[in-house]
Amino acid sequence: MEVKINEAWKSLLQEEFDKPYFEDLTSFVRQEYATKRIFPAGKNIFRAFDMCPPDKVKVVIIGQDPYHEEGQANGLCFSVADGVKIPPSLVNIFKEIAEDTGAIIPTTGNLDRWAEQGVLLLNSVLTVEAHKAASHAGRGWEQFTDAVVRILSSHHNGIVYLLWGSYAQRKGLTIVHPEQNLILKSAHPSPLSVYRGFIGCRHFSQANNYLTTQGKEPIVW
């Protein structure tokens, strides 16, 4: 089926788009947008892909599903638009970056700057009903994003995968040739688990050191 997405990703993922589960998922999502308040805006469902073509991917960060409160979700995991209050998990991410790299903590939670540098900010589930976390889980998005990780990793090596929390770590099991990439795992940065291993993980400096060994520009976190 025809999907509006970055052309390079479209070429890689066309077989998934043509599978029956994806057609069923598309029908469900269209009906949801037609009858309910769904996030992100329809034009932003594949924004993470549009901002970061597969041959530009240096780092993959995996989230769960989009923010479900008004004005938050923008198509990139953990990210919010300029002017939106920075969510707690992202506050903790910024704290760890500051401790790890010495970077100044930003005043905005807009992570477009990461995507533009080659960070694929991928939620496992790409849509959600307003005020209902995980409301679109189990509808097919997980199968699709599993395929994204599997297909990306089968075509491109030397990528850093940041897997925070058990949910992201399970999705990381789909990485092809893990030994040809850098896979970093820790607890999730949410306030409930941040001190179980996320704070002090030093993932951001490790990622940049690895990218340098691969002849790639490090990320300005």
Side-chain angles (χ1 to χ4, degrees):
M1 65 181 302
E2 188 70 19
V3 176
K4 292 182 179 178
I5 193 172
N6 169 275
E7 284 298 322
W9 280 112
K10 187 175 183 179
S11 178
L12 275 185
L13 299 172
Q14 188 59 55
E15 286 189 14
E16 291 302 307
F17 297 146
D18 291 337
K19 290 180 179 179
Y21 87 86
F22 195 86
E23 295 197 19
D24 291 344
L25 170 62
T26 299
S27 296
F28 165 74
V29 169
R30 284 175 176 162
Q31 179 64 19
E32 290 286 286
Y33 273 92
T35 58
K36 300 174 183 176
R37 183 69 170 149
I38 306 297
F39 302 130
K43 65 181 181 180
N44 289 334
I45 293 174
F46 295 109
R47 187 163 175 261
F49 300 89
D50 294 334
M51 293 196 69
C52 191
D55 63 339
K56 303 294 185 185
V57 176
K58 300 176 183 177
V59 179
V60 177
I61 297 177
I62 296 175
Q64 193 157 347
D65 65 341
Y67 295 122
H68 55 270
E69 298 301 337
E70 198 72 39
Q72 290 184 309
N74 67 4
L76 308 180
C77 74
F78 293 106
S79 177
V80 291
D82 293 326
V84 176
K85 183 180 179 182
I86 302 175
S89 290
L90 187 53
V91 168
N92 289 330
I93 290 170
F94 286 160
K95 286 180 180 178
E96 174 58 23
I97 291 171
E99 288 291 324
D100 185 15
T101 71
I104 296 172
I105 293 178
T107 58
T108 176
N110 186 337
L111 301 182
D112 284 12
R113 62 190 184 279
W114 290 6
E116 290 164 354
Q117 294 177 80
V119 182
L120 179 63
L121 293 159
L122 178 67
N123 274 317
S124 179
V125 175
L126 300 188
T127 55
V128 69
E129 184 179 347
H131 319 304
K132 294 184 179 181
S135 50
H136 285 187
R139 292 288 187 164
W141 279 129
E142 295 93 339
Q143 184 174 343
F144 171 69
T145 50
D146 278 354
V148 169
V149 173
R150 184 180 67 252
I151 293 168
L152 174 66
S153 60
S154 69
H155 285 80
H156 299 278
N157 294 320
I159 292 173
V160 182
Y161 292 86
L162 302 182
L163 307 179
W164 302 329
S166 59
Y167 190 92
Q169 288 163 24
R170 286 195 299 273
K171 187 162 290 287
L173 297 174
T174 63
I175 297 168
V176 178
H177 306 306
E179 72 285 352
Q180 296 178 20
N181 301 278
L182 178 63
I183 300 172
L184 299 175
K185 301 177 183 180
S186 78
H188 194 276
S190 84
L192 295 175
S193 58
V194 66
Y195 290 107
R196 297 177 190 165
F198 181 80
I199 293 297
C201 69
R202 301 186 66 83
H203 281 183
F204 303 95
S205 60
Q206 290 183 68
N208 278 349
N209 290 340
Y210 178 77
L211 292 174
T212 300
T213 69
Q214 299 295 307
K216 300 176 182 179
E217 284 291 317
I219 304 298
V220 179
W221 297 109

